[in-house]
Each structure stands twice: as structure tokens, then as C-alpha cells.
């Protein structure tokens, strides 16, 4: 086949949903998608309020207050996107939380909330969108795992388990979604400079940066561009894959 002469606005005509898009990696994914021509729905918890509206304005997109853990999240999203835009082409499960504690202090609340937001919600929403026919044929699902789900991280048994689970989920869902022409892939970012990692104590933060042979924290745009590849026509033949967005670990 002959390669296209240009990938200018490769997402033109596509409707994309990004969860956890009020700030951080999610907000940058929305920007990159809008640049590439997509119509973007940015979703975040109701408490994100003003920050979510700002992201929506910046990308010329539409804001949706949506807690991904609510039981009716898929129904709400499907209805919203179908009524306004006729369905969804791309969904990025980016919303995620950490509730770090060393194992002895890892109470059930911390365990459950992290597993719910990071793992159960993406699964429930993907299934719910497909069941309602809201995710179009040829659709794309992109999950956000983490290097913590591959290499592990002290104090993050809940988080690492959820992010390892995301990789298992992508592997398991890929063949089933392929029957509908939908691909599902994941990114596993290393240390990325965001509010989430700024909250980490200094020594751990420096160790995080050393976990990449590039000797730096990545930027949100590094993750967003990798996700744009999975969302766009250049990855038509790619499903069930995970790309680590980081260097090799030095420690
Ligand atoms: P962040 O904390 O800056 O942003 C996360 C967003 O998700 C926030 O706007 C938050 O309100 C939203 N959110 C949380 N719970 C939600 C819920 N129940 N429903 C809807 N939205 C919800 O985090 P950051 O750093 O931008 O991370 C984004 C994703 O990337 C997460 O899944 C995180 O686990 C993952 N990641 C981040 C890394 C980093 O170094 N920053 C490394 C590897 C993965």
C-alpha cells in the first residue's frame, strides 16, 4: 500500500472522549486530539468544575461532569455522546488516582478506591459503551496503565495492582473487541511531571526521575502523542499492545 501523502488532522471527523481531562495528562491528550481534528468530550469528576470548563474552552470541546466510578457512568456517557455527536470513535480511560501507603497500612478503603477508579471503571465503561452500540465500528479504546504496574513501586501495592490489571484487561478484551473492528491498547507512562507526581515527597520524586535512562521526568505531551498514535489511522493494525512511555530503568 502507498503511504498517505500527509497525516494532517488525522482525527478529523472523529468523536473522542477523554476521562480525567481537567488537568495533567488528560488535559494534554484533549489538546493533542483537538489539534489532530477530533471533536473532544472532556470528562472529569463534578468537583473539577472550573478546571474542566477551562480545558473544554481551550480545546473547543464539550465538558461532561462524570465520575467514572458511578454505576451509570457508561449509560450517561453513551446518551450524552450519542445525542450530541451520534456516537463515540475514541475513548481514553485516563482518570486515575493514587492512595499510597506501605503494605502494613494499606487499609481496604485505599485498596478499593484505587482499584475502582483505575481498573473497574474503565472495564465497566468500555463494556457499557459497546453493549449500547455507542462505540462505533472501527473505534479505539486506549487505557492508561503505568510503569508501576510493570516494575512495581514501594507503597503502591494498590496502584501497581490496578495498573498491572489494566494490561491484563487490554490483553483479554482485544480479541472480543476486534470482532467489532475496535482496537484496544495501553500506554504505561514512567515518571511524568504532573500535579500527581508533584505531590510525591522529594526523595521519591528524584528516584522516580532516575527510573528512566533518559534521566528526566517525561512531559504530559510525551504520553499524549503516544495515545494519539493509538487513536489515529497509523495504528490500524495494532491491538492488544502496551507501549511504555519512558526510558529503561536505571535502578
Ligand atoms: P492528575 O491527578 O493530574 O489528573 C487525574 C485526573 O483524573 C484529575 O483531573 C482527577 O479529577 C480525575 N479523576 C480522578 N478520579 C476520577 C473519577 N472517579 N472520575 C473522573 N475523573 C477522575 O494525574 P495525571 O498525572 O495527569 O495522571 C493521569 C493518568 O496517568 C492516571 O491514570 C495516572 O495513574 C496515569 N499515570 C501518571 C503518571 C505520572 O507520572 N503522572 C505515570 C503513570 C501513569
Amino acid at each position: 500500500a502507498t503511504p498517505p501523502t500527509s497525516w494532517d488532522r488525522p482525527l478529523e471527523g472523529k468523536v473522542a472522549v477523554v476521562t480525567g481531562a481537567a488537568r495533567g495528562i488528560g488535559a494534554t491528550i484533549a489538546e493533542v486530539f483537538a489539534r489532530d481534528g477530533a471533536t473532544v468530550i472532556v470528562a472529569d469528576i463534578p468537583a473539577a468544575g472550573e478546571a474542566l470548563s477551562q480545558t473544554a474552552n481551550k480545546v473547543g470541546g464539550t465538558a461532561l461532569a462524570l465520575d467514572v466510578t458511578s454505576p451509570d457512568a457508561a449509560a450517561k456517557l453513551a446518551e450524552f455522546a450519542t445525542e450530541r455527536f451520534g456516537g463515540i470513535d475514541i475513548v481514553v480511560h485516563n482518570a486515575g488516582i493514587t492512595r499510597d501507603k506501605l503494605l502494613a497500612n494499606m487499609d481496604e478503603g485505599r485498596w478499593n478506591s484505587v482499584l475502582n477508579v483505575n481498573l473497574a471503571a474503565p472495564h465497566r465503561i468500555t463494556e457499557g459503551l459497546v453493549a449500547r452500540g455507542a462505540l462505533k465500528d472501527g473505534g479505539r479504546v486506549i487505557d492508561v496503565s503505568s510503569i508501576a504496574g510493570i516494575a512495581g513501586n514501594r507503597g503502591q501495592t494498590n496502584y501497581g495492582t490496578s495498573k498491572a490489571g489494566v494490561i491484563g484487561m487490554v490483553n483479554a478484551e482485544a480479541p472480543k473487541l476486534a470482532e467489532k473492528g475496535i482496537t484496544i491498547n495501553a500506554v504505561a507512562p514512567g515518571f511524568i511531571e504532573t500535579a500527581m507526581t508533584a505531590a510525591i515527597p522529594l526523595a521519591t520524586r528524584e528516584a522516580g526521575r532516575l527510573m528512566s535512562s533518559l534521566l528526566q521526568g517525561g512531559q504530559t505531551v510525551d504520553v499524549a502523542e503516544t495515545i494519539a498514535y493509538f487513536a489515529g489511522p497509523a495504528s490500524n493494525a495494532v491491538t492488544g499492545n502496551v507501549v511504555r512511555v519512558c526510558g529503561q530503568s536505571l535502578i
Side-chain angles (χ1 to χ4, degrees):
T2 316
T5 48
S6 155
W7 283 125
D8 235 20
R9 294 174 68 83
L11 302 183
E12 191 80 62
K14 303 292 183 188
V15 178
V17 178
V18 183
T19 68
R23 66 179 200 186
I25 295 170
T28 309
I29 298 166
E31 274 186 71
V32 167
F33 278 3
R35 176 203 68 194
D36 286 352
T39 298
V40 188
I41 299 170
V42 290
D44 210 299
I45 47 173
E50 190 48 33
L52 184 63
S53 309
Q54 280 172 11
T55 308
N57 289 340
K58 195 170 180 186
V59 307
T62 310
L64 174 66
L66 184 81
D67 182 337
V68 294
T69 63
S70 75
D72 65 347
K76 196 173 162 189
L77 182 54
E79 191 180 324
F80 183 85
T82 307
E83 269 178 16
R84 297 222 185 179
F85 305 110
I88 297 168
D89 297 285
I90 301 155
V91 57
V92 183
H93 298 295
N94 164 79
I97 59 167
T98 52
R99 295 285 182 271
D100 300 353
K101 272 285 171 198
L102 292 179
L103 205 48
N105 300 318
M106 183 61 76
D107 58 86
E108 211 168 306
R110 281 194 164 78
W111 177 266
N112 288 339
S113 57
V114 169
L115 267 290
N116 264 335
V117 176
N118 297 2
L119 180 58
H123 175 252
R124 207 181 303 119
I125 292 174
T126 300
E127 292 279 309
L129 292 179
V130 170
R132 288 172 177 80
L135 197 56
K136 294 188 202 158
D137 282 3
R140 304 294 172 93
V141 180
I142 300 131
D143 284 280
V144 179
S145 176
S146 166
I147 198 69
I150 298 170
N153 228 356
R154 204 173 148 81
Q156 293 200 315
T157 308
N158 52 356
Y159 184 77
T161 302
S162 72
K163 295 299 188 179
V166 164
I167 294 173
M169 179 173 75
V170 164
N171 288 331
E173 287 181 351
K176 194 174 64 176
L177 292 176
E179 290 167 15
K180 298 182 187 299
I182 298 168
T183 68
I184 179 166
N185 293 286
V187 293
F191 187 94
I192 307 295
E193 309 283 355
T194 68
M196 181 185 269
T197 45
I200 298 173
L202 183 66
T204 317
R205 206 173 336 135
E206 285 310 316
R209 294 194 180 104
L210 278 172
M211 285 191 60
S212 167
S213 50
L214 296 170
L215 286 175
Q216 62 185 24
Q219 303 297 318
T220 57
V221 69
D222 300 322
V223 181
E225 297 288 5
T226 310
I227 289 176
Y229 162 74
F230 282 134
S235 67
N236 274 344
V238 182
T239 195
N241 274 261
V242 184
V243 169
R244 295 183 301 148
V245 185
C246 59
Q248 293 163 296
S249 179
L250 294 178
I251 54 175

